[in-house]
Amino acid sequence: MLFAKLAVSISVVLGLSILAERTGPRAAGVLSGYPLGTAILLYFIGLEQGVVFATESAVYALPGLIATLAFLYAYYLTSRLLSDRRMILQIPASSVAAFGAFMFVSWICQQIQFTRISGAVTLLAAMIVALILFRGIENVRILNRVRLTRRIVLFRAVLAALIVLGISGIAAWIGPKWAGLFSGFPVTLYPMMLILHASYGIGPLHTVIRNFPRGMGSLWIYILAVTFTYPVWGINVGTLLSFAAATVYLIAYSTLVWMREKSVRV
């Protein structure tokens, strides 16, 4: 189980961060909304704690993603405020502000008795608000890619693995509510944000933040699907079916964006 957690989390983070450098932070931001980190956590929570625990956690993963949006907004505001300061100050200060926002919003959500419907509706409203708040951010491409070194690869891998191991490992102690809320933590997105911020500055970083809510529809669909499929088909089949539903959304969204941009160019 430990090896599986390490292999999956490391592979996803490395793939996503490389994608950001190859195809641009805009595409990476959208794909960051694909249910990667959340799916990893819910899957391992289900394997270790059972279907009932994982299903209840999935319900609270919906408001947990509101905390993720708060995390991104706090990181964005702080990094923009400190844009004229050295990177050694920008990154820690932005991270502290983001973690504080995540924990505060998670605490608020933990006080509320969410259902599948109320959690889904509340998250949908938060996604719309995030799209409005982030729409003023400019899309910036990465022009000069940093060469991947062993140190960079190791940093990405270790950070992702620690987050996955930590959250899934304490699930039984904190209960399904907090486990669900923490499963919304940007396990795969945050390490990529740190790499982009340190390597390329706030431009590409903010581009990822801007586009993350645009891909969150797949996360929204995935978590809702989990609440239906896990109790009926179990962890493995339920995960596959939920991923299929999320993939259909992401393909449909990407096709719509491509067609719209093509019509604009014409």
Side-chain angles (χ1 to χ4, degrees):
M1 184 69 71
L2 177 63
F3 177 77
K5 290 180 183 180
L6 291 173
V8 172
S9 57
I10 289 171
S11 299
V12 169
V13 170
L14 292 181
L16 192 59
S17 53
I18 292 173
L19 181 68
E21 295 166 346
R22 299 292 180 183
T23 64
R26 181 181 178 184
V30 173
L31 288 175
S32 296
Y34 194 64
L36 299 172
T38 300
I40 293 170
L41 287 168
L42 287 177
Y43 180 77
F44 286 118
I45 287 172
L47 286 181
E48 295 174 345
Q49 307 303 328
V51 170
V52 174
F53 191 104
T55 302
E56 187 175 349
S57 295
V59 171
Y60 277 84
L62 290 164
L65 290 172
I66 301 174
T68 293
L69 291 173
F71 178 99
L72 294 177
Y73 192 57
Y75 199 107
Y76 162 68
L77 288 178
T78 306
S79 59
R80 188 180 69 173
L81 181 66
L82 300 175
S83 59
D84 59 340
R85 302 297 179 89
R86 290 186 176 183
M87 201 70 69
I88 196 171
L89 174 63
Q90 282 185 34
I91 294 177
S94 301
S95 295
V96 169
F99 274 100
F102 182 88
M103 292 303 300
F104 178 70
V105 174
S106 294
W107 177 79
I108 292 176
C109 292
Q110 202 271 343
Q111 311 301 311
I112 303 172
Q113 191 66 37
F114 281 101
T115 64
R116 179 191 294 130
I117 296 175
S118 63
V121 171
T122 305
L123 175 57
L124 192 59
M127 288 163 57
I128 295 172
V129 171
L131 286 172
I132 296 172
L133 291 175
F134 296 160
R135 65 181 177 181
I137 301 175
E138 182 183 359
N139 284 315
V140 175
R141 294 190 61 84
I142 294 174
L143 299 178
N144 299 307
R145 293 198 298 267
V146 174
R147 186 175 64 88
L148 283 178
T149 64
R150 290 182 180 179
R151 180 179 296 181
I152 292 175
V153 172
L154 181 63
F155 171 77
R156 296 176 182 181
V158 169
L159 186 58
L162 288 176
I163 294 173
V164 171
L165 291 175
I167 295 177
S168 61
I170 64 174
W173 297 349
I174 61 180
K177 280 189 177 181
W178 276 110
L181 291 167
F182 285 163
S183 72
F185 184 82
V187 172
T188 55
L189 177 61
Y190 178 56
M192 182 183 69
M193 288 171 57
L194 294 180
I195 295 298
L196 290 178
H197 195 171
S199 302
Y200 307 106
I202 64 173
L205 165 71
H206 289 174
T207 299
V208 168
I209 292 175
R210 168 194 165 98
N211 289 282
F212 178 77
R214 301 168 188 269
M216 278 187 71
S218 58
L219 254 174
W220 187 80
I221 290 173
Y222 179 87
I223 297 173
L224 270 180
V226 162
T227 64
F228 288 104
T229 60
Y230 272 22
V232 178
W233 286 287
I235 304 297
N236 293 319
V237 177
T239 296
L240 292 175
L241 293 174
S242 300
F243 262 121
T247 302
V248 168
Y249 165 83
L250 193 62
I251 292 174
Y253 174 81
S254 301
T255 302
L256 181 64
V257 170
W258 177 79
M259 292 177 62
R260 185 177 62 185
E261 292 183 346
K262 184 179 179 180
S263 64
V264 170
R265 289 195 297 267
V266 173

